[in-house]
Amino acid sequence: MSESTDSARTVKESIGRYGVWNVGLRAEDPARLGDIAEAAAELEQLGYGAAWLGGSSAPRHAAPLLEATSRLVVGTSIQSIWQYEAEESAAGFAELESAHPGRFLLGLGVSHAKLADQYRRPYSALVAYLDALDTAGVPAGRRVLAALGPKTLELSRDRSAGAIPYLVTPEHTAQAREILGEAPLLAPEFAVVLETDPATARALAREHLAMYLALPNYTNSFRRLGYTDDDLSDGGSDRLVDALYAWGDETRIHTRLNAFHEAGADHVAIQVVDGGSRESLPREAWRRLAPLLG
């Protein structure tokens, strides 16, 4: 068995079938660290295998969660390659690996042209970043890539433990699995809305989706999946919204989550969408969803 295959298997075992994706778990304000540590400890107790830090997160943002838990794996989802130099990332990784061996995953991505002034030739820049991490001693098996398109999925397969696609469908997962092959990790994010009224649920989903419909990396991904300009206009068609968001009661959401595993996902990072602020910690929703983790 190759080293990369063995590393991917170890990662899969450590993070389990479900984790949470949340921007609020990433704190710059020291006053929030206590709440974050408490939430992380509860996530571990509830049975979630991983916490994925939304926004452009760095290794230092994972430290409070790792210190508050004993098994929870914490990953960046994602760290923008434009915001943090590779040497800085490698130093942060080494510090966490020394303190909490095997419990941190460096999730990397190229972000978006509208969010990074230096955005140029993103694929080549990502390859160069991985080269620099290799030189600095960050193992390929401890990093994952935010891959949507075929080329970056292939790079995830060849230069990392696998892929962590964001805002995707089970159809994308099936295509990604075909590109990745069996061994690499495939851990898509998927948003859930614990609301049974269709109009209310879709309104919450559209509010969340709005910023992503202005980012070509996502709209191009939707088009590759067969969605049209009509689907992308006016806040997104019901067809698009219902594909990208699971809404309804726990039974319906469980069925939607299972569809990702049936399509080839190893792990699903659940993002709760409830209309709250980006810094909110939806702990009651995490508790409601915990019985679905088996």
Side-chain angles (χ1 to χ4, degrees), residues 127-143:
V127 170
Y129 201 96
L130 294 174
D131 290 342
L133 290 179
D134 287 344
T135 300
V138 177
R142 300 293 302 287
R143 60 202 191 204

Side-chain angles (χ1 to χ4, degrees), residues 116-164:
D117 292 338
Q118 63 271 58
Y119 194 94
R120 303 287 187 281
R121 301 181 63 200
Y123 181 84
S124 296
L126 181 56
V127 170
Y129 201 96
L130 294 174
D131 290 342
L133 290 179
D134 287 344
T135 300
V138 177
R142 300 293 302 287
R143 60 202 191 204
V144 287
L145 304 184
L148 290 175
K151 283 185 64 177
T152 313
L153 283 164
E154 291 171 355
L155 190 65
S156 301
R157 176 193 65 204
D158 298 337
R159 301 288 304 275
S160 79
I164 51 170

Side-chain angles (χ1 to χ4, degrees), residues 11-48:
V11 169
K12 292 178 186 181
E13 292 173 350
S14 66
I15 66 174
R17 285 170 58 85
Y18 292 107
V20 302
W21 191 104
N22 180 260
V23 175
L25 290 170
R26 169 198 185 279
E28 296 291 349
D29 181 359
R32 297 188 62 244
L33 294 180
D35 289 341
I36 287 172
E38 185 179 295
E42 184 178 20
L43 285 171
E44 181 174 81
Q45 184 180 30
L46 289 170
Y48 293 94

Side-chain angles (χ1 to χ4, degrees), residues 125-286:
L126 181 56
V127 170
Y129 201 96
L130 294 174
D131 290 342
L133 290 179
D134 287 344
T135 300
V138 177
R142 300 293 302 287
R143 60 202 191 204
V144 287
L145 304 184
L148 290 175
K151 283 185 64 177
T152 313
L153 283 164
E154 291 171 355
L155 190 65
S156 301
R157 176 193 65 204
D158 298 337
R159 301 288 304 275
S160 79
I164 51 170
Y166 183 90
L167 207 59
V168 293
T169 65
E171 291 75 19
H172 181 279
T173 293
Q175 295 172 14
R177 176 53 72 196
E178 185 173 352
I179 293 170
L180 291 172
E182 181 180 352
L185 173 72
L186 180 53
E189 172 273 347
F190 190 47
V192 305
V193 184
L194 283 164
E195 171 59 58
T196 57
D197 177 71
T200 302
R202 288 177 178 138
L204 288 169
R206 286 190 173 95
E207 180 183 355
H208 183 263
L209 181 61
M211 66 173 287
Y212 301 109
L213 290 176
L215 299 174
N217 289 0
Y218 289 117
T219 55
N220 290 338
S221 175
F222 302 153
R223 290 188 175 97
R224 284 193 296 268
L225 291 168
Y227 296 95
T228 67
D229 288 346
D230 287 341
D231 289 306
L232 305 182
S233 64
D234 298 325
S237 67
D238 285 355
R239 183 171 83 108
L240 179 66
V241 168
D242 290 353
L244 295 174
Y245 297 82
W247 55 265
D249 60 17
E250 287 87 339
T251 299
R252 180 170 177 168
I253 287 171
H254 191 207
T255 299
R256 297 292 309 281
L257 293 171
N258 275 341
F260 280 88
H261 288 292
E262 292 168 357
D266 301 296
H267 174 95
V268 179
I270 301 170
Q271 178 177 188
V272 172
V273 171
D274 60 6
S277 74
R278 284 173 60 83
E279 290 192 349
S280 66
L281 299 171
R283 294 176 63 178
E284 180 56 36
W286 291 339

Side-chain angles (χ1 to χ4, degrees), residues 24-44 51 53 57-76 92 95-96 99-100 103-104 281:
L25 290 170
R26 169 198 185 279
E28 296 291 349
D29 181 359
R32 297 188 62 244
L33 294 180
D35 289 341
I36 287 172
E38 185 179 295
E42 184 178 20
L43 285 171
E44 181 174 81
L53 309 184
S57 303
R60 62 185 172 84
H61 296 118
L65 289 82
L66 293 169
E67 291 165 1
T69 56
S70 60
R71 300 180 309 279
L72 190 73
V73 174
V74 182
T76 51
E95 184 175 343
L96 289 182
H100 310 281
R103 294 181 53 215
F104 174 71
L281 299 171

